[in-house]
Coordinates of all heavy atoms in Angstrom, one line a residue:
Chain B
W524 N -81.2 142.9 64.9 CA -80.1 142.4 65.7 C -78.9 142.4 65.0 O -78.7 141.7 64.0 CB -80.5 141.0 66.1 CG -79.4 140.3 66.9 CD1 -78.7 139.3 66.5 CD2 -79.0 140.6 68.3 NE1 -77.7 138.9 67.5 CE2 -77.9 139.7 68.6 CE3 -79.4 141.5 69.2 CZ2 -77.4 139.6 69.9 CZ3 -78.8 141.5 70.5 CH2 -77.8 140.6 70.8
Q556 N -98.8 123.1 62.3 CA -99.6 123.2 63.4 C -100.6 124.3 63.4 O -101.5 124.4 64.1 CB -98.7 123.4 64.6 CG -97.9 124.6 64.7 CD -97.0 124.8 65.9 OE1 -95.8 124.5 65.9 NE2 -97.6 125.2 67.0
S621 N -71.7 129.8 58.4 CA -71.0 128.6 58.8 C -72.0 127.4 58.9 O -73.2 127.7 59.2 CB -70.3 128.8 60.1 OG -69.4 129.9 60.0
E669 N -69.8 113.7 77.3 CA -68.5 113.1 77.4 C -68.0 112.3 76.2 O -66.8 112.5 75.8 CB -68.5 112.2 78.7 CG -67.2 112.4 79.5 CD -67.4 111.7 80.8 OE1 -68.3 112.1 81.7 OE2 -66.8 110.6 81.1
E808 N -79.9 125.5 101.9 CA -81.2 125.6 102.7 C -82.2 126.5 102.2 O -83.4 126.4 102.4 CB -80.9 125.9 104.1 CG -80.1 127.2 104.2 CD -79.7 127.5 105.7 OE1 -80.6 127.4 106.5 OE2 -78.5 128.0 106.0

Side-chain angles (χ1 to χ4, degrees):
Chain B
W524 175 250
Q556 65 181 97
S621 300
E669 218 169 293
E808 54 181 318

